[in-house]
Amino acid sequence: MKISIIAIFLLICCQVKAQSKYNGSFTISGDVSKVCKTGLMTMAYANANGKPKRDTVKIENGKFKLSGEVSEPVVAILKIKLPQATVGPALYDPKNMYRILLEPIDYKLSTTGESLNTAIVKGSQIQQEYTRYFQSLQKLHYEMRPYNMQAQAFEKQMDVSNFINVRKKLDSLDEMERAMVDSYVSANPHSPVSLFAVDDYNRPIMSPKPFKSFFDKLDPELKKQA
């Protein structure tokens, strides 16, 4: 039976109880002047009570500062809202987003290019680890995207031959993702990033068998129940 995402978060909470270093306040001091001088920075994450939270602060002279409290390592999604109106696909442009694995520490964020996804974050070794893993995974997902769209179109048209051909390409990419998760979790069973790697793999289209095998490789401390 497929383990739910809720169960994953409960397991993370159990880990937090055992390790108080993940409980406390954080700050993110940012410089996005290469992207914009004014605008709004939004951040969506789960707060110390496990409740969804969205914070918004002004970007002034390219600088911003966010703060809050967490009781567990949680992924926050940062997004810039530019002064000009943004509509349609631009609202969901991945270049305008950045993921950060929150811990109770002080972060320094700065962009190196003209989009938020060029950001470099200092202050957290886990964040660097998470960014490397997520970027590798994101490249693979971008490669899958057009094939997924083609598969949906061929299925709707009942074009069996083309659907099978596209499905073979997707199966190959799925196998690459499976190998990526397996390799990472096997090499880093103690890392919170591995828990997020397993969580990200926990999607309805995935078979529960490999998911369970990845989950079983995690360090017992990451799976400990209260």
Side-chain angles (χ1 to χ4, degrees), residues 40-210:
L40 297 174
M41 178 66 75
T42 65
M43 179 174 67
Y45 67 108
N47 65 14
N49 296 318
K51 302 293 184 181
K53 184 173 175 59
R54 182 181 295 274
D55 293 334
T56 303
V57 295
K58 288 184 178 180
I59 299 171
E60 298 180 348
N61 296 319
K63 307 290 178 60
F64 73 91
K65 188 170 184 177
L66 287 157
S67 61
E69 293 189 357
V70 291
S71 60
E72 61 189 60
V74 295
V75 174
I77 298 179
L78 302 181
K79 186 175 180 181
I80 293 177
K81 184 176 181 181
L82 300 172
Q84 63 268 30
T86 305
V87 296
L91 282 171
Y92 307 99
D93 185 354
K95 292 181 180 179
N96 194 34
M97 299 173 66
Y98 186 82
R99 291 175 178 243
I100 186 167
L101 186 54
L102 292 178
E103 302 174 82
I105 57 177
D106 297 325
Y107 297 89
K108 302 291 184 183
L109 181 150
S110 59
T111 51
T112 59
E114 297 181 352
S115 57
L116 185 55
N117 71 344
T118 67
I120 293 176
V121 173
K122 296 181 179 180
S124 170
Q125 184 175 351
I126 291 180
Q127 173 60 22
Q128 295 175 15
E129 182 185 343
Y130 174 75
T131 298
R132 285 193 296 268
Y133 178 82
F134 179 76
Q135 287 178 343
S136 297
L137 186 65
Q138 193 175 48
K139 288 179 182 178
L140 189 59
H141 286 173
Y142 285 164
E143 190 174 351
M144 290 178 177
R145 186 176 299 171
Y147 294 123
N148 277 318
M149 293 175 66
Q150 290 175 26
Q152 291 173 11
F154 290 140
E155 185 178 25
K156 187 175 181 179
Q157 297 165 10
M158 300 185 70
D159 186 338
V160 177
S161 178
N162 280 321
F163 175 82
I164 291 174
N165 289 334
V166 172
R167 190 63 251 178
K168 288 179 180 178
K169 294 177 181 178
L170 280 171
D171 288 344
S172 176
L173 292 171
D174 286 342
E175 185 58 37
M176 289 176 62
E177 179 178 9
R178 188 174 302 177
M180 181 185 298
V181 178
D182 184 45
S183 175
Y184 190 87
V185 174
S186 296
N188 304 278
H190 303 278
S191 172
V193 178
S194 290
L195 193 56
F196 284 99
V198 175
D199 181 28
D200 185 81
Y201 191 79
N202 184 33
R203 301 194 296 276
I205 60 173
M206 294 301 180
S207 166
K209 185 175 180 180

